[in-house]
Amino acid sequence: MRIGYLALPVALVTIMASCSAPRKLRESEARYARLDSLYRATENQRKKCEEDAARAAAAYKDKMDNLQEQQTQLKSNNSQMLEHLKELSVISNSQAESIKKSLDNIGAKDAYIKDLQSAIARKDSLNMQLVMNLKGAIGNMDDKDINIKVEKGVVYIDISDKLLFKSGSYDVTERAKEVLGKVAKVLINQPDIEFMVEGHTDNVPYRPNVLLDNWDLSVKRATSVVRILQNQYQIPAARMTAAGRSEYQPVASNDTPEGRGANRRTRIVILPQLDQFFKLLEKPAGN
């Protein structure tokens, strides 16, 4: 009889263990399926970006080849026209030489414009690559919390304040430091890039205590982010600028909670390398 009482708990433990194993297996399979789905979505996004870049590069090459062909044809036509005019004695040799120099200057200006277009195309290609690297580093985060985009040739990284800070505070949260670390990893590998960190608020007046107003709050939030990028992730301070925009550059209406939430953000602006374009804008040689 005692053997029967002892056998019953052993049997129950055995049954519970046999039930637990399939449940853990199902949980592992479900977790694997979620990770696999996330990986496939990220991979599809990467492939789409690469395809878009390839199409843009092919379209640009076709355009430049067409312009080159037109320029060659134009030079040929100009030479034929000059010879024809000289044969007809319509113009003198000196006049023909003067016209030829003018046409050569036009050709030089065409080449100058081509160089500018090539520089802009390179910049657009670098911006696209930077955006792809940033999105790949950050992963599949909600666009409401972090948004990476290119507008008018400038790369912007918008991070919502609910991800970075507690309400009315400029102390960066631990979760935000992880995100900033991923952004910093991409930026530190681009040593020629300089950027500005901008703090933005909504139009709800800040209650003065340590800080005076929304101007103060936006600047303090920007400098808090800059200090973390400098001190924790070793981005050189000379590459960064901290700025406060207060409530004066909203991206949505402040009449709704959703709009105010969108306006409370920190923006990282990749600054254009203007010195390169100033060099290109110098007067072409010989003019």
Side-chain angles (χ1 to χ4, degrees), residues 118-134:
S118 178
I120 292 170
R122 287 197 302 272
K123 178 177 178 294
D124 289 343
S125 177
L126 290 172
N127 281 346
M128 181 172 289
Q129 185 63 45
L130 178 61
V131 168
M132 288 173 58
N133 290 344
L134 286 165

Side-chain angles (χ1 to χ4, degrees), residues 13-279:
V13 170
T14 303
I15 293 170
M16 290 175 67
S18 63
C19 292
S20 175
R23 184 174 68 253
K24 290 182 178 179
L25 178 61
R26 287 194 298 271
E27 290 174 351
S28 297
E29 289 174 344
R31 184 164 59 254
Y32 171 80
R34 289 194 300 271
L35 292 173
D36 184 63
S37 175
L38 177 60
Y39 168 78
R40 291 178 185 276
T42 304
E43 186 68 11
N44 289 337
Q45 185 182 41
R46 182 188 65 80
K47 289 180 179 179
K48 184 178 183 303
C49 288
E50 289 179 348
E51 291 169 359
D52 290 345
R55 281 195 295 270
Y60 175 75
K61 183 179 183 301
D62 291 342
K63 184 176 180 180
M64 295 308 300
D65 289 344
N66 186 43
L67 288 173
Q68 183 68 39
E69 184 178 346
Q70 291 178 16
Q71 185 179 5
T72 302
Q73 184 63 41
L74 180 62
K75 288 181 178 179
S76 176
N77 291 342
N78 289 339
S79 297
Q80 292 176 11
M81 180 188 68
L82 283 173
E83 291 300 321
H84 188 56
L85 289 173
K86 288 169 66 176
E87 289 173 1
L88 293 174
S89 299
V90 175
I91 60 174
S92 65
N93 287 339
S94 61
Q95 288 173 326
E97 185 65 25
S98 177
I99 293 174
K100 184 177 183 301
K101 287 181 179 179
S102 297
L103 293 174
D104 288 342
N105 286 337
I106 293 174
K109 289 178 180 177
D110 287 341
Y112 169 62
I113 292 172
K114 182 180 176 181
D115 287 342
L116 279 177
Q117 290 173 331
S118 178
I120 292 170
R122 287 197 302 272
K123 178 177 178 294
D124 289 343
S125 177
L126 290 172
N127 281 346
M128 181 172 289
Q129 185 63 45
L130 178 61
V131 168
M132 288 173 58
N133 290 344
L134 286 165
K135 289 188 174 181
I138 291 169
N140 193 30
M141 287 196 66
D142 192 337
D143 283 346
K144 293 180 181 178
D145 290 334
I146 184 164
N147 184 27
I148 302 168
K149 59 186 177 182
V150 180
E151 286 185 0
K152 298 180 180 179
V154 179
V155 179
Y156 296 101
I157 309 166
D158 284 334
I159 309 175
S160 70
D161 82 320
K162 72 174 184 179
L163 177 63
L164 285 174
F165 310 102
K166 294 180 181 178
S167 178
S169 170
Y170 52 86
D171 292 327
V172 178
T173 66
E174 290 301 317
R175 180 172 177 239
K177 291 177 183 178
E178 180 182 349
V179 175
L180 291 175
K182 293 177 179 179
V183 173
K185 185 176 180 181
V186 176
L187 295 179
I188 203 167
N189 289 327
Q190 303 287 338
D192 295 330
I193 286 179
E194 295 183 0
F195 57 93
M196 179 185 298
V197 179
E198 296 180 344
H200 295 257
T201 69
D202 57 26
N203 66 346
V204 177
Y206 184 80
R207 295 180 180 177
N209 47 37
V210 177
L211 303 179
L212 296 178
D213 51 22
N214 281 335
W215 277 114
D216 258 2
L217 179 60
S218 64
V219 172
K220 289 293 287 184
R221 285 182 167 179
T223 53
S224 293
V225 171
V226 163
R227 285 194 184 96
I228 288 173
L229 294 175
Q230 177 186 0
N231 298 332
Q232 295 192 20
Y233 300 110
Q234 288 73 54
I235 294 183
R239 292 176 53 193
M240 297 185 287
T241 302
R245 296 284 193 173
S246 188
E247 64 200 65
Y248 300 107
Q249 285 196 346
V251 293
S253 170
N254 280 302
D255 295 334
T256 65
E258 293 77 14
R260 291 192 293 274
N263 291 333
R264 295 190 301 269
R265 68 200 187 281
T266 295
R267 165 172 281 187
I268 298 176
V269 184
I270 308 301
L271 299 175
Q273 297 175 0
L274 295 178
D275 56 331
Q276 297 180 7
F277 286 92
F278 288 150
K279 291 178 182 178

